[in-house]
Amino acid sequence: MKNNAVEKIEAAIAELKQGHLIIIADSTDREAEGDMMGLAEYVTPETVNHMVTKARGLLCVPMSATYATRLGLHKMVTDDTDAFGTAFTISTDAKTTTTGISAFDRADTIKQLAESDSQPDQFYHPGHIFPLISRTDGVLERTGHTEAAVDLAKIAAVAPVAYICEILKKDGTMARRKDLKAIAEGSKMLMITVDELIEYRKLQNQLTALPVVKLPTKYGDFMLEAFSEDDTKEPTLLIYKGDLTTNTPVLLRLHSECLTGDTFKSQRCDCGAQLERALQKIEVEGRGAVLYMRQEGRGIGLLNKIKAYRLQEQGFDTVEANTELGFAADQRDYALAARILQQKGISDIRLMTNNPDKIAQLTALGITVTERIPLEIPATLYDRQYLVTKKAKFHHLLREVN
């Protein structure tokens, strides 16, 4: 017998792949709002017109970060203050449109945004369509309509691009859960919730853990376990020592891969030295772990990190270089880390970090950080400005840098 959430999501996918619209309601402890949603590949002027006349909110186009990057859709602002972190990009219209705002023109723009071979020069900026960038791990990372819409597109095995519009009541106020149910029934439109999608994804997207192996190192003898959710991607590594299953908080380093620092011992950053220091601390305590996340260059990848290095040599700091390349200053997320910890039965940690964002993200994801353990490395001639930028712009908790 199928789980109810599975049945609901499968029914939603069937509706969407017929070109129909559905309603997605988010959590009652979040915004408690609902959006009409359709798959961008199946958009028509009729569905756009129905959405803007019946839902009456702002028509937006959620998409994966990969699509947004290819299309040159940079974030609208680099330091957004939106309470829910909605990742708006610059607005756009396809150059084939005239007014840009008609249902026909908006459908044209949406369809072109979803095409796998579309290029930046096909679009004007600003325009009448508002793209949104989804977080990498979808609703398992951020429980927003943006992520829900892109997750549904991915599950449907179509382009990871959708179109959504918030639902207002006739009096102009926001439609809440009770109102959404009535609207769905009256329009014979399927309604799902973000919570149901989260449950579906957790059931369908189990992490695979490879058998544990021994990892003797110059810092001590450790165990190594690899976790994978996609055979096409490099696994996340858990390097640990001792029994992690006891109730005592685990000493943990959440380390983002840095090939230049970890392997080549680059002095442009403190990454390699932090990894070494973490392993040394774990060896001394006899119990602890390093979660090695494949998030090179704060999530922009090795090639783009090298491009950022080049910009830094031209006078940009590490934040400015990332944003100049069209990325957020820091694109890393720790939802996968939280899932691995939860799968291992770890809920309380003593985190080796100088980065308050790691603490905030893990806390929001249900991991309790009982203690922050500083991991400060003395500045070198080559990384002093890098550390100054981390302290000034990322608010890293560094005492020695000025």
Side-chain angles (χ1 to χ4, degrees):
M1 183 176 179
K2 285 188 177 180
N3 176 283
N4 183 60
V6 172
E7 289 184 339
K8 290 285 293 290
I9 300 306
E10 288 181 350
I13 296 299
E15 285 288 295
L16 290 166
K17 294 189 77 168
Q18 293 180 56
H20 300 159
L21 301 176
I22 67 167
I23 293 175
I24 307 173
D26 71 357
S27 175
T28 54
D29 59 7
R30 194 174 182 272
E31 293 180 292
E33 296 176 0
D35 283 21
M36 284 189 189
M37 176 252 167
L39 296 173
E41 279 195 21
Y42 299 103
V43 66
T44 66
E46 291 73 27
T47 54
V48 169
N49 192 53
H50 182 85
M51 189 176 275
V52 298
T53 56
K54 300 300 182 182
R56 301 193 300 282
L58 182 66
L59 180 62
C60 297
V61 178
M63 63 179 63
S64 69
T66 302
Y67 267 60
T69 299
R70 173 171 53 79
L71 294 170
L73 295 170
H74 311 314
K75 289 188 70 175
M76 186 180 289
V77 293
T78 57
D79 187 21
D80 65 77
T81 55
D82 178 78
F84 293 98
T86 308
F88 280 92
T89 78
I90 52 175
S91 57
T92 190
D93 284 337
K95 289 183 178 179
T96 51
T97 63
T98 52
T99 66
I101 194 65
S102 72
F104 292 86
D105 280 353
R106 284 195 270 188
D108 185 12
T109 298
I110 293 168
K111 187 172 285 291
Q112 289 191 48
L113 288 171
E115 291 171 353
S116 61
D117 57 354
S118 290
Q119 297 301 316
D121 61 8
Q122 292 177 222
F123 302 91
Y124 293 119
H125 307 291
H128 298 84
I129 291 295
F130 296 88
L132 307 172
I133 302 176
S134 172
R135 298 285 183 88
T136 304
D137 209 15
V139 293
L140 298 183
E141 179 183 348
R142 179 180 178 273
T143 57
H145 290 101
T146 300
E147 285 68 28
V150 173
D151 276 0
L152 288 166
K154 289 178 177 178
I155 295 166
V158 298
V161 185
Y163 59 114
I164 60 175
C165 186
E166 302 100 329
I167 300 174
L168 309 183
K169 294 194 292 186
K170 290 181 179 179
D171 64 1
T173 59
M174 296 305 302
R176 303 301 181 184
R177 184 66 63 89
K178 182 176 67 174
D179 309 307
L180 295 171
K181 288 181 178 178
I183 292 169
E185 290 171 1
S187 59
K188 296 182 180 179
M189 195 176 294
L190 180 66
M191 176 173 152
I192 64 169
T193 68
V194 173
D195 288 340
E196 288 167 341
L197 182 55
I198 291 171
E199 185 178 353
Y200 174 91
R201 283 215 43 206
K202 285 182 176 180
L203 288 170
Q204 302 294 317
N205 196 24
Q206 293 295 320
L207 287 168
T208 301
L210 300 180
V212 179
V213 298
K214 295 178 180 179
L215 184 68
T217 76
K218 73 175 187 178
Y219 311 107
D221 293 338
F222 297 87
M223 305 304 290
L224 173 65
E225 190 170 5
F227 292 85
S228 175
E229 59 179 345
D230 183 342
D231 290 341
T232 66
K233 297 178 182 178
E234 292 297 318
T236 299
L237 305 177
L238 181 68
I239 304 161
Y240 69 94
K241 190 179 191 74
D243 183 0
L244 305 183
T245 62
T246 68
N247 292 328
T248 305
V250 174
L251 178 65
L252 180 75
R253 167 66 181 167
L254 203 56
H255 190 86
S256 295
E257 179 178 32
C258 176
L259 179 69
T260 50
D262 300 340
T263 302
F264 301 120
K265 310 304 178 188
S266 166
Q267 293 190 37
R268 298 185 70 137
C269 64
D270 57 347
C271 303
Q274 286 186 314
L275 179 59
E276 291 184 354
R277 183 76 60 83
L279 291 169
Q280 290 166 351
K281 285 179 175 288
I282 293 168
E283 175 64 20
V284 169
E285 288 214 7
R287 178 178 179 266
V290 170
L291 253 179
Y292 197 78
M293 311 296 297
R294 315 315 282 264
Q295 301 189 122
E296 184 82 46
R298 295 201 194 94
I300 68 175
L302 180 59
L303 179 61
N304 286 313
K305 185 173 84 167
I306 294 171
K307 291 179 181 178
Y309 278 170
R310 180 61 177 163
L311 289 172
Q312 289 168 35
E313 291 175 358
Q314 296 171 6
F316 292 81
D317 66 30
T318 182
V319 170
E320 294 164 347
N322 274 25
T323 55
E324 180 70 13
L325 291 171
F327 299 104
D330 190 344
Q331 297 202 162
R332 293 174 296 177
D333 68 78
Y334 304 104
L336 178 57
R339 289 170 61 201
I340 291 171
L341 293 173
Q342 289 161 351
Q343 186 162 316
K344 294 291 292 183
I346 299 169
S347 58
D348 297 341
I349 60 173
R350 297 161 56 220
L351 189 63
M352 292 182 277
T353 188
N354 307 319
N355 184 357
D357 185 52
K358 288 183 181 178
I359 298 172
Q361 285 201 42
L362 288 174
T363 300
L365 291 162
I367 303 298
T368 301
V369 180
T370 63
E371 180 184 4
R372 182 189 76 87
I373 298 173
L375 208 58
E376 296 190 53
I377 306 297
T380 70
L381 173 66
Y382 303 99
D383 72 1
R384 179 171 296 278
Q385 188 56 46
Y386 166 80
L387 295 174
V388 167
T389 301
K390 286 173 77 171
K391 182 176 182 178
K393 294 191 175 182
F394 289 117
H395 310 297
H396 281 212
L397 305 170
L398 299 169
R399 294 169 297 177
E400 299 181 9
V401 182
N402 51 47

